[in-house]
Amino acid sequence: MEETISLKEIFSVLKKRLMLIVLLVVGAILVSAIVSYFIITPTYQASTQFIVNQDTNENNAVDINQIRSNVEIINTYNDIISSKRILDQVVEELDLTISAGALGEKISISSAESSQVVTLSATDADPEVAAEIANTTVQIFQTDLPELMNVNNVNVLTEATVAADPSPRKSKAIAKYCNSSSFSTYGWCWISILA
């Protein structure tokens, strides 16, 4: 047996449950606002970029093998940057109250495939500290690299600046909870119609 539902029935169920729908959505907005403004600590991200540059030969032509070698060595550089040796120096220089391991969790290193540009991002509750962590980490890496690998092929492209907006943005979090509560409530109404 096939049962059909008319639009009139759907609207009557939605009308009966309208107050509940509104209360649930408003409640979700209030809860998300309280969580966003009073419980979640905002974090700021600052990023710096450096380039692993190739040596040019006598006629200033770019050697594709040298570029490929520089791209491959970036993985090694990423490991060096996140090593205890570099991070301990950053903790000491910035007089941070966290360990090198905890600092390692605050930084991320990435590079696009086949690119010689590396991006180091640091996150912290204080935007100035995030920028200082990013810049200091790259400076210490750049200083220690000649001693570690007997090369000096890293140049800073852009230094990290103080971020203006925290993550997560409060308005986005509230909108996300509003949308999810709306869809959940509508789903619940549909289930009650079909039951």
Side-chain angles (χ1 to χ4, degrees):
M1 292 187 187
E2 192 173 310
E3 187 176 325
T4 59
I5 299 173
S6 70
L7 286 176
K8 189 175 182 180
E9 289 176 56
I10 292 172
F11 286 122
S12 85
V13 171
L14 289 176
K15 189 175 178 183
K16 285 181 196 175
R17 299 202 186 342
L18 183 62
M19 189 56 118
L20 181 63
I21 292 170
V22 170
L23 287 175
L24 287 174
V25 171
V26 169
I29 291 171
L30 289 174
V31 168
S32 64
I34 290 169
V35 168
S36 296
Y37 282 95
F38 300 111
I39 296 174
I40 296 176
T41 303
T43 57
Y44 295 84
Q45 183 176 27
S47 298
T48 182
Q49 291 182 314
F50 63 90
I51 186 167
V52 179
N53 40 330
Q54 73 278 359
D55 296 328
T56 56
N57 58 23
E58 295 159 1
N59 59 4
N60 287 335
V62 176
D63 181 8
I64 193 71
N65 290 327
Q66 185 68 34
I67 292 174
R68 189 173 295 125
S69 173
N70 286 337
V71 169
E72 290 172 0
I73 204 165
I74 286 174
N75 291 331
T76 304
Y77 287 178
N78 291 349
D79 291 338
I80 292 171
I81 290 171
S82 57
S83 71
K84 189 170 174 5
R85 173 184 174 143
I86 301 294
L87 298 181
D88 277 339
Q89 292 179 59
V90 173
V91 168
E92 185 179 322
E93 174 135 348
L94 295 177
D95 196 28
L96 299 174
T97 58
I98 58 174
S99 67
L103 178 60
E105 293 176 9
K106 289 184 170 218
I107 64 170
S108 64
I109 306 157
S110 63
S111 61
E113 189 174 332
S114 300
S115 173
Q116 294 176 255
V117 177
V118 178
T119 302
L120 184 140
S121 299
T123 57
D124 195 79
D126 183 343
E128 291 178 8
V129 172
E132 288 175 357
I133 288 172
N135 290 329
T136 305
T137 303
V138 171
Q139 288 168 357
I140 290 173
F141 167 69
Q142 192 176 20
T143 303
D144 283 11
L145 188 62
E147 179 185 333
L148 291 170
M149 295 191 64
N150 206 18
V151 292
N152 190 13
N153 62 345
V154 171
N155 292 313
V156 175
L157 285 177
T158 57
E159 288 193 350
T161 57
V162 176
D165 293 328
S167 174
R169 291 196 174 133
K170 294 173 181 162
S171 59
K172 283 186 178 181
I174 292 169
K176 180 176 78 174
Y177 286 114
C178 178
N179 285 337
S180 63
S181 69
S182 296
F183 288 124
S184 299
T185 305
Y186 295 139
W188 175 75
C189 285
W190 280 106
I191 290 171
S192 69
I193 290 172
L194 297 174

